[in-house]
Amino acid sequence: MEATIVYDSRESKLASAAPDGDHLWLSLADLGRATGWEVKPQGVCRGETCVPVPKGAGPQGSGWTDEKGGRFDLAGFARHLRQPVVHDDESSVWVFGAAPGRGLSSAEAPDFALPDLDGNVHRLSDYRGKKVFLFCWASW
């Protein structure tokens, strides 16, 4: 059955997709073409990001692949990543949202220096490796 998948603003029509309730089974080749994720010995990887498989199980034991390891449950994997997933059974369209924690939360701000209320200058780089909350306001 053909399914339309929208993943990271990329739309793919996959003839080999096999929807099964809240699961969407794809061939491993289609998984890579539609999403950029690949099943590797170290886990499920995309670029330099790898999602480790739960301890004691290879990718085939994760529940994301079938017994023979030839198909991958993209919807199950997305739920593991806490990605929102919506699908319409009638039109066989699946849309995957961004996982939490992606985007600006991982961006690195440029270094800058500002004085505190006592006139002591603080540089953002002084706090490298620590969580920093920046609060800004303007009166205009």
Side-chain angles (χ1 to χ4, degrees):
M1 169 183 219
E2 183 176 277
T4 300
I5 297 169
V6 179
Y7 198 97
D8 284 344
S9 302
R10 181 185 334 181
E11 182 178 323
S12 305
K13 291 188 185 298
L14 304 176
S16 67
D20 181 17
D22 284 337
H23 302 277
L24 179 62
W25 295 96
L26 306 178
S27 71
L28 297 182
D30 281 346
L31 172 69
R33 280 193 293 273
T35 68
W37 288 103
E38 297 178 82
V39 176
K40 296 183 175 182
Q42 61 269 38
V44 183
C45 303
R46 185 177 186 198
E48 294 193 20
T49 302
C50 283
V51 177
V53 176
K55 192 171 183 157
Q60 283 74 20
S62 68
W64 305 322
T65 59
D66 60 9
E67 289 91 33
K68 295 179 185 175
R71 295 187 314 160
F72 188 87
D73 179 13
L74 180 57
F77 179 64
R79 283 189 293 276
H80 175 77
L81 296 179
R82 294 190 212 142
Q83 282 181 274
V85 179
V86 294
H87 62 96
D88 178 54
D89 292 332
E90 190 174 312
S91 59
S92 195
V93 173
W94 293 71
V95 180
F96 297 82
R102 290 177 53 193
L104 291 178
S105 64
S106 64
E108 187 173 301
D111 193 26
F112 59 89
L114 292 171
D116 63 18
L117 294 174
D118 296 323
N120 300 316
V121 176
H122 298 269
R123 300 188 68 77
L124 183 60
S125 59
D126 295 340
Y127 301 95
R128 183 98 39 230
K130 299 177 183 174
K131 291 183 181 181
V132 176
F133 177 73
L134 299 175
F135 179 76
C136 303
W137 66 275
S139 60
W140 63 76

